[in-house]
């Protein structure tokens, strides 16, 4: 009844999908989740709420699709990069996690270098720092940003490679 009254309300589709999911009707639940994503409005708060709802339901793939579609609707592909980085961390994909955390620095200065450092220090394993450094080298060659240079020096410091950090 509520969905018929408010067909543009994505959270109702997610709630209904969760109910169907608990009943073992995964196909029907997936259809409801798809309806929620297609009903997404070009509004930051709507995208954030729907993405959070999928994240809280452990539906990470759907949450990723919400944030990516939200970036398209809002015409800023990096606006939800920090959220995407967190989702890829939860999914166990460190390369995409790093990429999105770095993308968050490109989103109109919304994320500070210190915030990204905190996330990387907390969630990046020591053997994954070369992946971070590789992406930073690529980004520095594409655009010489002080943020990326600072992160590169920080990454070497984390590995106690002070010679390269100084360089």
């Amino acid at each position: 009844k509520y969905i018929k009254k408010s067909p543009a309300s994505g959270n109702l589709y997610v709630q209904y999908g969760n109910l169907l999911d608990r009943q073992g009707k995964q196909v029907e639940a997936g259809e409801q989740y798809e309806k929620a994503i297609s009903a997404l409005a070009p509004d930051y708060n709507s995208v954030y709420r729907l993405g959070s709802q999928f994240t809280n339901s452990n539906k990470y793939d759907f949450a990723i699709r919400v944030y990516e579609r939200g970036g398209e609707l809002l015409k800023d592909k990096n606006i939800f990069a920090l959220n995407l980085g967190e989702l890829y961390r939860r999914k166990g994909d460190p390369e995409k996690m790093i990429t999105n955390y770095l993308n968050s620095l490109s989103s109109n200065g919304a994320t500070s270098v210190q915030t990204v450092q905190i996330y990387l220090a907390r969630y990046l394993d020591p053997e994954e720092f070369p992946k971070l450094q590789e992406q930073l080298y690529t980004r520095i060659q594409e655009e010489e940003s002080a943020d990326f240079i600072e992160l590169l020096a920080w990454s070497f410091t984390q590995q106690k490679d002070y010679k390269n950090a100084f360089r």
Side-chain angles (χ1 to χ4, degrees), residues 55-126:
T55 301
N56 294 338
S57 300
N58 295 325
K59 308 276 187 239
Y60 301 137
D61 291 327
F62 286 108
I64 288 169
R65 291 191 39 224
V66 166
Y67 288 128
E68 287 174 346
R69 186 157 193 292
E72 291 170 9
L73 291 172
L74 296 171
K75 296 177 181 32
D76 182 358
K77 64 178 181 152
N78 294 324
I79 195 166
F80 296 106
L82 204 58
N83 305 82
L84 286 167
E86 173 63 16
L87 288 166
Y88 283 116
R89 178 194 68 79
R90 289 180 182 202
K91 284 186 68 174
D93 190 341
E95 286 197 41
K96 288 185 179 180
M97 175 189 76
I98 292 167
T99 300
N100 281 287
Y101 283 155
L102 296 179
N103 286 347
S104 70
L105 293 173
S106 302
S107 180
N108 301 324
T111 307
S112 70
V113 176
Q114 290 78 19
T115 302
V116 173
Q117 286 175 346
I118 290 168
Y119 281 117
L120 292 172
R122 186 178 298 159
Y123 301 124
L124 201 61
D125 292 330

